[in-house]
Amino acid sequence: MRKFFAGAGALTAFFSTAAAYADQPHPWQWRFQEAATPIMAQIEWFEKYTLWFIVPITLLVLALLAYCIVKFRASANPVPSRTSHNTMIEVIWTVGPVVVLLAIAVPSFQLLTAQYNPPEEPTLTIKATGNQWNWDYEYQIEAPLSFNSAMLQEGDRAATGKEDVARYPRLLAVDNEVVVPVNTITRVLVTASDVIHAFAMPAFGVKVDAVPGRINETWFKAEKEGLYYGQCSELCGKDHAFMPIAIRVVSEEQYNSWLTAAKTDLPGANKALMAAIEGDESVAVAGN
């Protein structure tokens, strides 16, 4: 029993620690990651909204099946009914589904429209190109910045300063994260160089196919600073499971400092940004 409580405490500590670093998948997770963008918040609302239809309909169908099984079983109903028409039943099972579908369709179309139409012109545009099995990113700014992002190898943790497994999980951490400023509308142009991939960031409500020879467009506005993880979500070969995506959301000042340094020294810029963020967190913890 003592070992059980110790294990439960360790798991709780893991969750609380991971939560401090924005969001990422957790063991035995069955709900969405915490929303970090307005679109993901709408997706969460829509999921809860549809449950008000799904659950009653499922229970109703289950009750009707049980009723029919008991009421019209052969022993209790040796002479089956020959009723072929019932106007009231026809009206109910025609009008009812139409009303339910309309109630679901209207907000779903509104959500779909919002996903493809940012409220204002994006401030930052990043091109993401999927490769087997890593990502190329290009910041489409006046002096473009390009780099490759691949899964962090366990032997490289010390060299990159990413030894904290809670912050940089195995199979999700990358060598070079995408860095974006908080509360900024970011356009992502998604394509692929070889086979079909998919750019997915659950906390942002983003999932778009990366198709060779075609550019798909999506956007997000991250409202919470932190490090977020996603993965390629289209089967793309033997290392499909080892193609993570990491986006670090920082303040405007931190982003500008990182961008200036990254143009000449990307590893150094990443380490400086990590030191600034972890230093801020240490000060905040000490202040509490």
Side-chain angles (χ1 to χ4, degrees):
M1 183 62 71
R2 185 174 302 171
K3 291 182 178 179
F4 171 80
F5 284 114
L11 190 61
T12 302
F14 170 80
F15 285 150
S16 60
T17 303
Y21 309 139
D23 211 348
Q24 59 183 257
H26 303 306
W28 298 97
Q29 184 173 12
W30 63 280
R31 294 293 299 158
F32 293 128
Q33 293 184 25
E34 184 178 351
T37 66
I39 289 297
M40 188 58 202
Q42 291 184 50
I43 292 173
E44 286 188 339
W45 174 87
F46 183 69
E47 185 258 351
K48 294 174 183 176
Y49 172 76
T50 55
L51 285 178
W52 286 100
F53 298 94
I54 295 171
V55 173
I57 290 173
T58 302
L59 294 177
L60 174 62
V61 171
L62 180 62
L64 290 175
L65 284 172
Y67 173 79
C68 291
I69 291 171
V70 174
K71 176 71 174 179
F72 301 107
R73 66 187 189 278
S75 58
N77 190 47
V79 181
S81 171
R82 296 183 177 274
T83 303
S84 59
H85 293 83
N86 187 299
T87 302
M88 181 57 67
I89 292 178
E90 293 284 350
V91 171
I92 291 174
W93 70 31
T94 300
V95 175
V98 170
V99 172
V100 171
L101 289 175
L102 284 175
I104 294 176
V106 172
S108 69
F109 288 149
Q110 292 173 337
L111 174 58
L112 188 62
T113 301
Q115 286 179 306
Y116 286 95
N117 295 277
E120 58 189 60
E121 186 65 21
T123 305
L124 174 64
T125 298
I126 300 173
K127 183 179 180 181
T129 303
N131 314 300
Q132 290 179 313
W133 291 269
N134 52 71
W135 294 91
D136 287 328
Y137 295 107
E138 178 185 334
Y139 284 65
Q140 299 191 345
I141 51 182
E142 185 174 350
L145 168 66
S146 301
F147 59 85
N148 180 267
S149 179
M151 187 182 73
L152 180 67
Q153 301 300 315
E154 292 301 299
D156 296 335
R157 285 187 176 273
T160 56
K162 298 179 178 179
E163 297 174 287
D164 186 349
V165 180
R167 186 190 299 267
Y168 304 103
R170 178 177 174 271
L171 305 183
L172 285 178
V174 301
D175 51 3
N176 299 309
E177 296 92 4
V178 175
V179 180
V180 299
V182 70
N183 293 320
T184 299
I185 295 182
T186 302
R187 176 195 290 123
V188 184
L189 304 177
V190 183
T191 187
S193 62
D194 37 41
V195 299
I196 298 178
H197 302 278
F199 186 89
M201 183 59 59
F204 292 179
V206 167
K207 184 178 185 297
V208 59
D209 284 344
V211 182
R214 177 186 179 122
I215 294 180
N216 290 326
E217 181 178 327
T218 186
W219 69 277
F220 62 84
K221 181 182 179 182
E223 297 180 327
K224 301 176 183 178
E225 295 183 26
L227 184 55
Y228 298 88
Y229 292 103
Q231 290 176 292
C232 174
S233 296
E234 186 73 36
L235 187 60
C236 58
K238 71 180 183 67
D239 286 340
H240 162 67
F242 309 103
M243 192 173 168
I245 301 166
I247 298 180
R248 191 187 291 275
V249 182
V250 298
S251 67
E252 185 75 28
E253 295 75 18
Q254 290 173 330
Y255 168 75
N256 290 332
S257 299
W258 172 85
L259 184 61
T260 301
K263 292 178 181 179
T264 56
D265 181 12
L266 179 63
N270 289 338
K271 288 184 178 180
L273 179 60
M274 290 164 54
I277 294 172
E278 293 171 11
D280 291 345
E281 290 177 355
S282 299
V283 171
V285 172
N288 291 334

